[in-house]
Amino acid sequence: MGTRLAHQTALITGSTSNLGRAIALAYAAEGAHVLVTGRDPGRGAAVVAEIQAEGGRADFLAADLSGSPAAASEFATRATEMLGGRIDILVNNSGAIGGRTTTDTDEAAFDQVFGVNVKAPFFLTAAIAPAMAAQGGGVIINLGSWVARLGIPIGAAYAASKGALETLTRAWSAEFGPAGVRVNAISPGVVHADTEGHPAAAMMKGTPYGAIGKPEAIAQAAVYLASADSAFAHGTVLDVDGGRIGVAVMAS
């Protein structure tokens, strides 16, 4: 096991699968006490068992963060208690996708996307960041998306919500950074645990990487942003996207 996050506690929302699970495993492997959260206790228990089997520390807390300020505050209190009275690292990873196009996205779907992707992290950060400042510092990492800055013809509500979260990253860095709370974001490209024959693979054509990425790539970026290695990084969005946003590969 590594030591880059030794003696740190980490709350990762939506960490029973995919990116959140990979981040939880990576944090635990670097010495952090991880609180795995999600709606499915069975999947949560499986991630905790996987971490503990490797000698790491982890617990599970069921959560359905839909955007309610009261729910976020209660969740923050319970999470803090389970992590021994302090949260050093908060990863706002939970996400919802609703509606493919603007015209087929009804109000309920729109509200769900913004509730989970914007309101929930907003009020969870509001509940946790002041406590981080009071304890001398902390780290907040938001999970954005490449579609926040490169328009595609589907998922407009999702793209807008991730754009809002990236903007909040900069705003929170200005608000909480002077008190010792570092706030940054990761913007993943198309990432999935199962890369074989995935229908979204076409979205990575024309990039240097040329294929879907693995969740572990995002997890390693999250380790960097949570560790002292990134002490000079504030209010930034780290693109870990195989070159999707910044590079076009010209066909020969």
Side-chain angles (χ1 to χ4, degrees):
M1 291 180 65
T3 59
R4 294 170 76 186
L5 302 179
H7 311 300
Q8 301 290 296
T9 61
L11 166 60
I12 306 158
T13 66
S15 44
T16 60
S17 63
N18 208 24
L19 299 186
R21 171 185 169 274
I23 294 170
L25 293 175
Y27 278 9
E30 289 293 342
H33 178 188
V34 173
L35 187 59
V36 177
T37 72
R39 292 176 295 177
D40 188 325
R43 292 198 305 184
V47 176
V48 168
E50 193 172 358
I51 289 171
Q52 292 176 342
E54 295 297 324
R57 294 184 64 197
D59 294 288
F60 173 75
L61 177 59
D64 188 1
L65 296 171
S66 58
S68 161
S73 178
E74 180 184 358
F75 177 71
T77 298
R78 294 175 63 199
T80 302
E81 291 171 351
M82 291 186 70
L83 288 171
R86 64 182 288 140
I87 296 173
D88 297 305
I89 305 161
L90 166 64
V91 181
N92 287 313
N93 170 71
S94 289
I97 300 174
R100 288 183 55 80
T101 66
T102 298
T103 54
D104 73 9
T105 302
D106 60 21
E107 184 177 14
F110 182 93
D111 287 346
Q112 180 190 29
V113 169
F114 268 76
V116 174
N117 296 357
V118 183
K119 284 184 68 178
F122 184 94
F123 289 112
L124 189 57
T125 297
I128 291 174
M132 285 182 169
Q135 71 195 20
V139 174
I140 297 173
I141 301 170
N142 299 319
L143 268 292
S145 173
W146 65 280
V147 298
R149 281 170 288 137
L150 182 64
I152 61 173
I154 58 174
Y158 174 79
S161 72
K162 289 300 185 179
L165 195 56
E166 290 189 5
T167 297
L168 285 171
T169 297
R170 293 181 284 272
W172 287 337
S173 181
E175 184 175 356
F176 300 115
V181 180
R182 288 195 301 109
V183 187
N184 292 289
I186 300 170
S187 178
V190 180
V191 177
H192 201 275
D194 182 10
T195 60
E196 294 298 323
H198 197 282
M203 292 185 177
M204 291 302 290
K205 289 183 178 179
T207 68
Y209 193 73
I212 293 176
K214 292 280 192 179
E216 289 75 17
I218 309 305
Q220 290 307 309
V223 169
Y224 164 71
L225 288 178
S227 74
D229 295 342
S230 62
F232 202 47
H234 289 259
T236 192
V237 178
L238 179 59
D239 294 326
V240 186
D241 61 4
R244 176 68 282 174
I245 291 295
V247 183
V249 176
M250 306 303 292
S252 57

